[in-house]
Amino acid sequence: MANEPKKSSRRDFIKISSASVIGLSLGALIPGGKWLENEVYAIPASQGYLLVDTKKCQGCSTCTIVCSLAHEGKQNLSLGRIQVQQNPFKSFPDDIKIDQCRQCAYPACVTACPTKALHADKKTGVRLVSPDKCIGCQRCMEACPYETSNAAWNHEDKNGHKCDLCLNTPFWKEQGGPNGKQACVQVCPVNAIAFTKEIPVQAGDGGYKVNLRDESWKQLGYPIS
């Protein structure tokens, strides 16, 4: 089981813009990076991020089902790349937890992959898995700093997979990725999921801090701040 994520400051993420790459000369070390003689270490920043308001989410798992349909062509909660966890022994808002890839600035899953199956897309920076290169070692899952790991296991194809912001959805005709649509955002019945190109503010638990509730939710008894 992965360790809890370390707290990251806003300053750590401001260092990277969505339109640039990180470049560090010899003498500086990125966590999980490598020393490169006479070269620079560069990881493209992702051009998009998924935000989920867990205080608004109703736990219906529609996002998980549509993710499985778009990517795998079948309804299977285990194959969804965004997962909804519900704990009936906890009270609101801790009874629901959403696991979606954070498109980390310093992706531990990418650096842990021994075959480079998990990589950053050159055009969009989105962190992807190439199934043909994956050997099923699950090191990406072990390296992910979040609990539960946001790099997941495809139990049918026996390889790793993760959210790609719908960049590659063979069973969905819409254009996806940072410049297109994301299936989970489109179908969420309460609009608890949003997409942004700006690096999100980090909450205390290492997740993204987001509030997608308006005044109408106050009438239903939900906090709106």
Side-chain angles (χ1 to χ4, degrees):
M1 184 174 292
N3 295 326
E4 289 291 337
K6 296 181 180 180
K7 293 184 179 180
S8 300
S9 68
R10 177 74 170 165
R11 183 179 301 171
D12 291 332
F13 285 83
I14 292 297
K15 294 177 182 177
I16 308 171
S17 68
S18 60
S20 64
V21 298
I22 307 166
L24 295 181
S25 62
L26 183 65
L29 179 64
I30 296 178
K34 299 179 180 178
W35 292 98
L36 300 179
E37 186 176 358
N38 299 323
E39 296 182 16
V40 295
Y41 186 106
I43 302 176
S46 176
Q47 295 178 14
Y49 307 85
L50 280 183
L51 304 175
V52 181
D53 186 344
T54 54
K55 291 184 179 179
K56 194 176 187 183
C57 173
Q58 302 300 298
C60 67
S61 295
T62 302
C63 55
T64 306
I65 289 293
V66 76
C67 180
S68 175
L69 282 170
H71 288 90
E72 311 298 336
K74 61 185 71 175
Q75 299 182 54
N76 190 322
L77 289 173
S78 297
L79 294 177
R81 303 173 186 211
I82 179 171
Q83 291 288 325
V84 181
Q85 296 186 48
Q86 299 190 53
N87 189 336
F89 298 103
K90 289 189 176 182
S91 58
F92 176 88
D94 299 319
D95 55 332
I96 290 181
K97 180 177 180 291
I98 313 297
D99 296 312
Q100 85 276 17
C101 178
R102 311 287 181 178
Q103 301 295 330
C104 297
Y106 306 136
C109 57
V110 172
T111 57
C113 181
T115 64
K116 298 184 179 179
L118 213 160
H119 62 283
D121 180 61
K122 292 181 179 179
K123 292 183 177 180
T124 65
V126 175
R127 286 70 172 115
L128 304 172
V129 178
S130 296
D132 58 325
K133 293 182 179 181
C134 179
I135 59 175
C137 67
Q138 300 188 24
R139 291 185 185 179
C140 56
M141 299 173 63
E142 295 174 358
C144 180
Y146 294 98
E147 187 182 344
T148 306
S149 171
N150 294 326
W153 179 247
N154 187 319
H155 65 279
E156 294 189 349
D157 296 335
K158 306 303 180 184
N159 58 44
H161 69 186
K162 59 181 293 302
C163 172
D164 59 1
L165 300 177
C166 287
L167 190 63
N168 181 22
T169 51
F171 299 96
W172 192 39
K173 296 181 179 180
E174 295 284 352
Q175 177 186 346
N179 297 315
K181 298 178 180 179
Q182 296 74 43
C184 59
V185 175
Q186 297 297 309
V187 303
C188 181
V190 294
N191 297 319
I193 310 175
F195 171 81
T196 181
K197 287 194 171 185
E198 297 182 3
I199 298 173
V201 176
Q202 298 291 300
D205 63 351
Y208 293 148
K209 182 179 181 181
V210 57
N211 185 344
L212 302 177
R213 285 152 282 134
D214 55 25
E215 286 291 334
S216 63
W217 282 84
K218 186 176 182 180
Q219 300 176 12
L220 298 174
Y222 286 87
I224 59 173
S225 60

